[in-house]
Amino acid sequence: MKVLVVEDEHKTSAYLKRGLEENGFVVDVAETGEDGIQLAAMQPYDLIVLDVLLPGRDGWTVVTDLRRRGVETPVLFLTARDAVRDRVKGFELGADDYLVKPFAFSELLARIRSLLRRGPARQSTVLRLEDLEVDLARHRALRDGRTLDLTPKEFQLLSLLLQRCGEVLSRTLIAEQVWDINFESDSNLVEVHMRRLRSKVDDPFETKLIQTVRGVGYVLEKRA
Ligand code: CA
């Protein structure tokens, strides 16, 4: 079992590494959120132990970034903060468990074993960009915490854009993926559906996420 510990305090990370290794785990340590993301995106871990207060990118942004990249490794947050608000935030962002410092190593070990018993990393089912969230398994789309009322095609279209977030998708590719048809250049099928999707996903919100790339297609990303 391989565990990634993301913790900037050397004393704590050394203590965790030694303790976990004594219990048969293979442990990598990252001292910044950025390094943690790089490691977790490059190789599979069975679990990530993630400190919330890190220099630069904190634990919240690390887990958000990982989930957005489709890394669904279970995350156990370690933090000195005990506010209920923070705890709720952690779970909303996709934390699997939460342990408040200072903690007993035996409790950490018990939590880790319990998380690992839930099985291997879950399928990547929740995709996110900013306040937009699509849960593929539950077939549910939310923006700013509100459910978006989408038709099945609109849902598929949004899922495709979000799965390939930041990538410009041509109308041809979209038509093939969503309608399973070869796209005729005079058809405005994609435009029509995209307009309806935008009226639900973007129009009611200040930040627009669906961008048109003239003559090419569409991309889902936040533009300033
Ligand atoms: Ca810290």
Side-chain angles (χ1 to χ4, degrees):
M1 286 291 182
K2 209 165 169 197
V3 176
L4 174 63
V5 173
V6 187
E7 165 65 78
D8 61 309
E9 292 142 54
H10 183 71
K11 217 173 118 186
T12 309
S13 64
Y15 166 71
L16 290 174
K17 184 174 164 69
R18 194 180 61 241
L20 289 170
E21 283 175 350
E22 280 169 8
N23 283 277
F25 292 93
V26 175
V27 182
D28 284 345
V29 173
E31 293 196 342
T32 65
E34 198 54 56
D35 288 351
I37 291 169
Q38 292 303 327
L39 280 169
M42 265 181 345
Q43 52 191 303
Y45 288 96
D46 297 294
L47 185 87
I48 300 171
V49 176
L50 180 59
D51 186 28
V52 171
L53 291 176
L54 293 163
R57 313 192 60 169
D58 66 16
W60 311 130
T61 65
V62 170
V63 81
T64 304
D65 197 325
L66 288 174
R67 297 305 187 230
R68 197 171 58 72
R69 292 169 187 234
V71 177
E72 291 292 331
T73 311
V75 171
L76 171 69
F77 268 129
L78 283 188
T79 179
R81 295 183 180 184
D82 190 19
V84 172
R85 191 164 44 87
D86 288 336
R87 209 176 278 233
V88 169
K89 186 175 176 186
F91 286 119
E92 278 173 356
L93 289 173
D96 296 272
D97 203 355
Y98 204 107
L99 198 56
V100 176
K101 291 176 179 173
F103 53 86
F105 188 79
S106 58
E107 185 179 3
L108 174 74
L109 201 56
R111 300 276 187 106
I112 286 177
R113 287 186 169 141
S114 151
L115 279 174
L116 293 173
R117 267 199 302 274
R118 293 187 198 168
R122 300 160 299 171
Q123 283 288 309
S124 171
T125 53
V126 181
L127 307 166
R128 294 185 184 84
L129 175 67
E130 297 291 315
D131 56 356
L132 174 66
E133 180 178 313
V134 170
D135 188 329
L136 297 176
R138 293 191 184 127
H139 211 80
R140 193 177 64 175
L142 300 165
R143 183 141 189 208
D144 195 23
R146 277 180 276 167
T147 303
L148 301 172
D149 185 20
L150 305 180
T151 66
K153 281 296 171 203
E154 287 163 357
F155 184 84
Q156 249 183 292
L157 195 52
L158 184 62
S159 302
L160 174 68
L161 286 166
L162 199 49
Q163 271 161 342
R164 299 180 63 169
C165 187
E167 197 180 321
V168 180
L169 304 178
S170 70
R171 291 177 182 80
T172 312
L173 183 136
I174 292 170
E176 281 170 5
Q177 298 274 321
V178 177
W179 284 272
D180 196 24
I181 55 166
N182 285 319
F183 185 65
E184 294 300 326
S185 58
D186 60 353
S187 163
N188 64 352
L189 179 75
V190 175
E191 281 86 343
V192 169
H193 279 82
M194 201 61 87
R195 205 175 305 137
R196 288 196 200 129
L197 182 62
R198 271 183 161 147
S199 75
K200 297 174 182 178
V201 172
D202 272 348
D203 290 358
F205 302 93
E206 198 175 334
T207 307
K208 310 302 177 196
L209 299 176
I210 301 172
Q211 321 294 343
T212 304
V213 182
R214 198 165 295 188
V216 185
Y218 301 90
V219 58
L220 192 76
E221 66 183 12
K222 184 190 171 186
R223 292 245 172 108

